[in-house]
Amino acid sequence: MTIRDVSSKPLQELISLHGRSAVVTGAAWGLGRATARRLAEAGASVLIADLDETKAAATASELSQEFGGAVLSVKMDAGDPDAIIAAADMAVRELGSLDIWINNAGIPSHVPLFELSNAEFDKVQAINLRGTFVGAREAARRMIAAGQGGVIVNVASLAGVNGIAAGQAAYVASKHGVVGLTRQMAIELAPSDIRVLGIAPGVMLTEKTMFLADVGKDMAQATGIPGIGGGRLGRHGSADDIARAILFCASDMSMFMTGSTLLVDGGVLA
Ligand SMILES: NC(=O)c1ccc[n+]([C@@H]2O[C@H](COP(=O)([O-])OP(=O)(O)OC[C@H]3O[C@@H](n4cnc5c(N)ncnc54)[C@H](O)[C@@H]3O)[C@@H](O)[C@H]2O)c1
């Protein structure tokens, strides 16, 4: 297949997700929640797949009230391949299609190298990296069966393109894996009109990551990258700074892009 040329389409149509269905993993809270919100605002039906069942249901109900579209939720552990498969099946069954899959669920890990156990290392890879792989594979299977193409967006990190502060070996390895997987899956899925993009957030403050304001300062000292503390553009990133970039990737606005990971880091690595 050949990816469509959308050059003649009006802007509102390019950014619109009306008639499309999206799964966002880890969207009960934080960046995922903000992403589900922008996708719903753009007209997509959304399935929030998150370990936190109660908060996922509350977020789904809030978004569906705010935008009037279908926003559903399901309990899903990104470390459990069967749960990911069940969420993908649910999206097709309940939303009618699966056009967009956002691999956002991820966990941090702050353990110094020589205290980092094999079990902790494996846990971080199972959720952050294997969860992304299984999510993308299962989404792509269903997109190919439907024959309409699709978009997969993987949330990596600044830690997916650079080493960061001490204690981040498991996390940095998992996020570098996500960036590599994004490149490779883009190559393998291009013939099926499935685009695969990555987003690499810098330090974004959310309900659960306010502590990063201080971690950022530590990282700035440890890495010698001043902007990592939120200084380059005068503030830390917000969840919506990421959500808008993901909407760009998920929509036809980014039609000629695949395989790349976009830094959304407030200029940290500039
Ligand atoms: N916030 C940042 O500064 C930042 C920076 C770079 C990358 N990221 C990445 O962005 C993504 C979202 O981060 P965030 O800051 O919004 O985190 P967060 O902790 O605020 O939210 C994570 C969400 O994922 C869910 N979750 C946790 N473990 C899960 C699992 N095993 N299965 C399914 N859902 C699970 C949580 O319930 C929550 O809803 C992660 O992949 C993270 O690594 C965040």
Side-chain angles (χ1 to χ4, degrees):
M1 281 197 268
T2 305
I3 206 87
R4 279 176 300 134
D5 183 350
V6 293
S7 310
S8 61
K9 293 215 168 167
L11 198 54
Q12 296 95 312
E13 209 175 302
L14 290 177
I15 200 80
S16 168
L17 299 180
H18 279 283
R20 296 186 203 175
S21 301
V23 173
V24 188
T25 71
W29 299 88
L31 309 188
R33 181 182 191 285
T35 299
R37 186 173 179 279
R38 284 296 184 187
L39 299 189
E41 184 182 4
S45 304
V46 179
L47 175 62
I48 292 175
D50 199 291
L51 195 56
D52 185 341
E53 189 174 16
T54 310
K55 181 69 176 174
T59 298
S61 135
E62 276 166 39
L63 295 185
S64 137
Q65 270 174 28
E66 188 175 358
F67 300 111
V71 185
L72 308 178
S73 66
V74 64
K75 180 172 182 171
M76 187 205 82
D77 180 351
D80 174 359
D82 290 340
I84 298 174
I85 290 169
D89 283 339
M90 179 178 169
V92 174
R93 193 176 60 244
E94 311 268 328
L95 301 178
S97 68
L98 177 47
D99 310 290
I100 297 162
W101 183 283
I102 315 291
N103 277 308
N104 165 77
I107 54 167
S109 173
H110 311 278
V111 186
L113 192 60
F114 294 111
E115 288 159 35
L116 179 58
S117 67
N118 295 344
E120 169 72 6
F121 186 85
D122 288 350
K123 185 179 92 181
V124 175
Q125 309 316 314
I127 294 171
N128 293 5
L129 180 53
R130 192 187 64 200
T132 298
F133 159 65
V134 175
R137 185 190 65 199
E138 294 307 319
R141 274 201 172 123
R142 286 154 184 81
M143 289 167 182
I144 289 169
Q148 300 294 316
V151 184
I152 295 164
V153 183
N154 299 324
V155 179
S157 168
L158 201 138
V161 289
N162 255 66
I164 49 175
Q168 298 293 318
Y171 186 73
V172 166
S174 73
K175 294 298 189 178
H176 272 67
V178 169
V179 172
L181 195 61
T182 301
R183 290 197 176 107
Q184 182 58 27
M185 289 194 113
I187 292 170
E188 295 198 31
L189 295 173
S192 306
D193 272 5
I194 298 172
R195 301 186 295 114
V196 188
L197 286 165
I199 288 287
V203 176
M204 321 304 291
L205 298 188
T206 68
E207 306 98 315
K208 289 195 182 179
T209 58
M210 291 310 285
F211 74 96
L212 283 173
D214 292 328
V215 175
K217 281 180 210 132
D218 294 345
M219 283 189 204
Q221 253 183 349
T223 60
I225 304 173
I228 207 167
R232 204 87 77 183
L233 289 180
R235 65 166 173 85
H236 284 287
S238 70
D240 192 60
D241 286 324
I242 297 303
R244 295 190 312 277
I246 292 179
L247 171 59
F248 168 76
C249 292
S251 74
D252 291 354
M253 291 285 285
S254 59
M255 191 58 111
F256 199 59
M257 294 173 67
T258 194
S260 42
T261 292
L262 278 70
L263 274 171
V264 185
D265 68 344
V268 165
L269 291 188

